Amino acid sequence: MITKSERRRYDRQIRLSGFGIGGQEKLKQSIMLIAGAGGLGSPMAMYLASAGVGTIRIVDDDHIKLSNLNRQLLYTIDDIGKNKADTAKEKLVTMNRSIRIEAVNATISSHNIRQLVEQCELILDATDNFRARYILNEAAIKTKIPFIYGGIYGFEGALTTIIPGKTPCLRCIFKNHRLSPETPPVLGVVPGAIGCLQALEAIKYATGIGRLLTNRLLIFNGISMKFSELRLKRDPDCSDCSGMTSSAEDAALG
């Protein structure tokens, strides 16, 4: 149930047409996994916590460095050397004490992924490498948990919402992406923009409002300040999702 305090806190979104108390209650019951607490994960976690998502599980094994501070707005210079997941939890709890934040200090791997996604209804990609993303993709397919991909490079970013068995999976879109250990160069505001859009998709999914970014890859170019869109199709020979079935009802996903 939404408390009187929560009604006041979330008043501006509760008053949105189609959102209401029902939408806020759905957010309160939601459990979401944010894989990564960096440039994408920071704004994503801040907005989802502020919106009232009931449980946010943040996974990251890295420590805060000076070079993170141009884009990872959860942290300050006083946090350098601290663990990202624990520090993110500390900051988010001060933003909203009525929700649950779970910090997991771990490297995402095929050995722990099942435990990491347990009980979650949504997986949010905030990683910076395709090795981890492919693991998240496989887990989403096996557990049938929707997966919101986000990626950034330089002045550009992209995102899509993946519904296992109904939309193209990450492997369909990026079949053999180079597995580079290097993090990409980026202007700090770009992951902020993409992370906010991922948070918006997550809220839409949890509340059932609007049209999700399914079967579409949204691309943002910060230099030209333009958004473009690519239509996506499932790969019938995809090594990850080709065995999953879809139905005529999938057309409703866009």
Side-chain angles (χ1 to χ4, degrees):
M1 292 289 294
I2 300 298
T3 65
K4 290 183 178 179
S5 175
E6 288 170 334
R7 282 175 180 260
R8 291 194 300 270
R9 183 186 186 102
Y10 307 121
D11 173 69
R12 296 287 288 273
Q13 62 196 44
I14 287 174
R15 287 193 280 127
L16 286 169
S17 176
F19 196 100
I21 292 295
Q24 196 62 51
E25 288 178 339
K26 289 177 181 178
L27 283 184
K28 188 174 183 177
Q29 297 302 315
S30 294
I31 304 175
M32 299 184 184
L33 171 70
I34 299 180
L40 291 168
S42 287
M44 201 185 305
M46 292 168 72
Y47 273 102
L48 292 177
S50 298
V53 170
T55 301
I56 300 173
R57 183 177 300 160
I58 302 176
V59 182
D60 203 306
D61 69 332
D62 201 4
H63 291 77
I64 301 159
K65 300 182 286 291
L66 181 61
S67 61
N68 299 149
L69 302 185
N70 80 313
R71 65 198 181 283
Q72 301 180 18
L73 300 185
L74 269 175
Y75 316 119
T76 70
I77 197 165
D78 294 329
D79 297 320
I80 291 175
K82 297 179 182 178
N83 177 272
K84 286 185 180 180
D86 288 334
T87 307
K89 177 179 179 178
E90 291 175 8
K91 302 293 179 70
L92 294 169
V93 165
T94 65
M95 293 174 61
N96 192 345
R97 299 186 186 280
S98 67
I99 65 172
R100 178 182 176 87
I101 306 293
E102 300 175 356
V104 182
N105 305 312
T107 302
I108 295 171
S109 71
S110 57
H111 301 293
N112 65 8
I113 189 61
R114 179 71 76 154
Q115 181 180 1
L116 294 178
V117 303
E118 187 177 11
Q119 296 184 318
C120 292
E121 67 181 58
L122 190 62
I123 299 170
L124 291 141
D125 169 34
T127 63
D128 59 8
N129 67 91
F130 271 83
R131 190 180 305 279
R133 287 177 177 133
Y134 285 144
I135 292 172
L136 293 172
N137 185 64
E138 292 173 5
I141 291 168
K142 290 178 181 178
T143 59
K144 297 185 178 180
I145 299 173
F147 173 37
I148 299 177
Y149 157 76
I152 49 93
Y153 189 94
F155 293 90
E156 299 180 354
L159 67 152
T160 189
T161 296
I162 296 166
I163 310 295
K166 297 182 178 181
T167 70
C169 76
L170 192 70
R171 185 77 70 168
C172 293
I173 305 166
F174 303 104
K175 188 173 184 179
N176 292 304
H177 199 280
R178 182 168 60 93
L179 299 177
S180 172
E182 299 181 1
T183 54
V186 64
L187 186 68
V189 296
V190 175
I194 300 302
C196 285
L197 290 174
Q198 287 180 272
L200 175 58
E201 276 291 282
I203 291 170
K204 287 163 54 186
Y205 174 79
T207 58
I209 293 173
R211 181 190 178 197
L212 293 173
L213 193 60
T214 49
N215 299 314
R216 298 176 289 152
L217 182 69
L218 184 66
I219 301 171
F220 169 66
N221 186 317
I223 290 292
S224 62
M225 199 54 73
K226 290 183 178 180
F227 285 91
S228 57
E229 191 176 285
L230 293 178
R231 294 288 298 180
L232 303 173
K233 292 184 178 181
R234 291 185 65 188
D235 179 359
D237 299 317
C238 177
S239 59
D240 284 5
C241 75
S242 60
M244 300 191 78
T245 58
S246 60
S247 69
E249 294 177 355
D250 301 343
L253 293 168

